[in-house]
Amino acid sequence: MAELLNGFIGTYVLYSLIRTGVLDLLYDEPGAEQGGAVPVARLAAATGTDPEVLVPLLGSADRIGLVAHDPDRAVASLTARGRHAYRVRGYFTATVGGFGDVFRSLDSLALGRDSFENGTLQDGHLTALGCAQNWTFQKPLFDEATADLEFSHVADIGCGAATRLIHLVESRPGTTGIGIDMNAEACQLARQNVKRAGLDDRITIVQADMLDIVTNPEAYPQVAEADLVTSYFILHHFVGGETGGRPFLTAFREAFPAARHVVVADGFTEEQGERAPVSPLFTLAYELFHDVMGIGLQTHAAQRRHFTDAGFTIIREVEFGHPLEWLFVLGSPREEE
């Protein structure tokens, strides 16, 4: 029981270090990989945190192995475990920040006192931010898998903070893109990032539901021009159940008549009978969140069948930095012709 409750506290300690920017400063400190220490006073001044709160926070982070905190010298540095936590910080941002209200409301949801109808339980901004933070370790995998693809106009479905879309457009001179997300907060963050990157004239962000695009593509003329379509951790909302995969994916393919390739990243559930006593990082949160929303997650094997049944060719598939997350590069029948 102590491990269970202490893990809860440790999660919030790490989340606070992420959200205050303290983790970033400790990670980016010159010489940090060799254990370079940062004065606590400088951490507090740079992040605007109250030293009377920051000091016990660092002390707790020391106790759970994330930080080496020396109260006598008033300095702190990241441990190897803390550096790993920085690498996977996006999962904590999405789980504690993006999904946190869902988990805090499980009793109210179970008793029927709350629901997902008003859309207030999920924080779209923090979910999108968590995905953007994960891009740190996903980018090399993404680049290697898509390096040989040719395209001039990309449509990113479920664009979140537009991190990948900005990367794709920046890396190909003359390329344009449209980012689509149904969450208003994610779209606002995406537009800010596009403007900051100086790509307002090449990237458009549209708030729309993926299902609307598939069923009414003529309302989104820019989508019809896309010769590359990317979809990032959103497809599972539409292909739940063995009977839902092929019809939706067939309509999805037909909604993008110019697409030569489709690049899909998504998370999957563990195969029945193969569940480990301790699930991989994020898996328990990801599965519980979708279970209470009534969204049936696919296994990796089932999703492969859905793609081929809908007429896609699986060109390549790679583990996307997590045991149950995969990146698929799909070819359309038009490309084969």
Side-chain angles (χ1 to χ4, degrees):
M1 289 299 102
E3 181 181 354
L4 188 63
L5 188 55
N6 289 341
F8 170 80
I9 299 301
T11 294
Y12 273 89
V13 167
L14 175 56
Y15 180 70
S16 68
L17 295 178
I18 295 168
R19 295 294 292 149
T20 57
V22 170
L23 190 70
D24 286 336
L25 284 174
L26 290 172
Y27 185 87
D28 292 333
E29 175 70 10
E33 288 191 45
Q34 289 74 44
V38 184
V40 173
R42 182 149 69 86
L43 284 173
T47 59
T49 51
D50 182 348
E52 293 189 3
V53 178
L54 180 58
V55 169
L57 183 60
L58 291 171
S60 295
D62 183 289
R63 293 183 68 181
I64 59 177
L66 298 174
V67 168
H69 175 229
D70 185 338
D72 294 329
R73 295 173 53 221
V75 297
S77 61
L78 281 185
T79 62
R81 189 182 191 195
R83 295 188 67 79
H84 178 66
Y86 177 85
R87 179 180 181 272
V88 297
R89 67 197 185 283
Y91 292 119
F92 288 85
T93 299
T95 302
V96 183
F99 305 159
D101 282 344
V102 174
F103 300 136
R104 283 187 289 270
S105 302
L106 286 175
D107 56 336
S108 297
L109 288 167
L111 293 167
R113 297 171 182 167
D114 212 337
S115 71
F116 291 99
E117 292 179 3
N118 56 19
T120 60
L121 289 181
Q122 183 179 1
D123 188 312
H125 174 91
L126 290 173
T127 303
L129 180 59
C131 290
Q133 290 170 337
N134 283 347
W135 182 243
T136 303
F137 64 83
Q138 292 169 343
K139 178 179 176 294
L141 300 169
F142 182 92
D143 285 346
E144 182 178 358
T146 60
D148 59 346
L149 303 185
E150 297 181 1
F151 59 91
S152 59
H153 183 64
V154 56
D156 188 16
I157 311 299
C159 67
T163 307
R164 293 161 306 284
L165 181 58
I166 290 171
H167 172 67
L168 283 169
V169 172
E170 280 184 331
S171 65
R172 307 285 179 104
T175 300
T176 58
I178 177 171
I180 300 168
D181 202 292
M182 67 180 295
N183 188 280
E185 295 171 321
C187 287
Q188 182 180 10
L189 180 59
R191 293 186 184 103
Q192 292 170 355
N193 289 339
V194 168
K195 184 175 182 178
R196 189 177 298 116
L199 295 173
D200 301 72
D201 59 334
R202 294 169 59 190
I203 294 179
T204 302
I205 303 297
V206 175
Q207 183 181 350
D209 191 319
M210 185 176 179
L211 189 59
D212 291 338
I213 294 170
V214 169
T215 57
N216 189 27
E218 59 274 9
Y220 305 91
Q222 288 173 292
V223 164
E225 304 169 11
D227 50 4
L228 172 66
V229 180
T230 59
S231 173
Y232 192 79
F233 291 90
I234 194 69
L235 192 64
H236 55 271
H237 285 264
F238 304 95
V239 295
E242 287 291 329
T243 59
R246 182 170 66 180
F248 175 81
L249 287 171
T250 301
F252 176 84
R253 178 169 55 79
E254 294 173 351
F256 299 93
R260 302 172 65 184
H261 296 97
V262 176
V263 179
V264 176
D266 215 340
F268 301 94
T269 188
E270 297 171 283
E271 296 281 354
Q272 291 295 322
E274 296 183 3
R275 294 179 183 271
V278 179
S279 293
L281 177 69
F282 190 60
T283 298
L284 185 62
Y286 187 70
E287 291 183 345
L288 177 58
F289 173 72
H290 288 92
D291 283 345
V292 296
M293 286 191 71
I295 297 171
L297 295 174
Q298 301 294 297
T299 64
H300 175 242
Q303 188 61 69
R304 293 185 91 262
R305 290 196 300 272
H306 288 328
F307 285 141
T308 56
D309 287 349
F312 288 105
T313 299
I314 300 175
I315 298 174
R316 62 185 64 100
E317 53 188 310
V318 296
E319 283 190 303
F320 207 39
H322 181 279
L324 292 169
E325 294 176 354
W326 288 79
L327 181 77
F328 289 87
V329 178
L330 309 174
S332 73
R334 296 174 182 82
E335 173 65 8
E336 296 173 6
E337 296 169 2

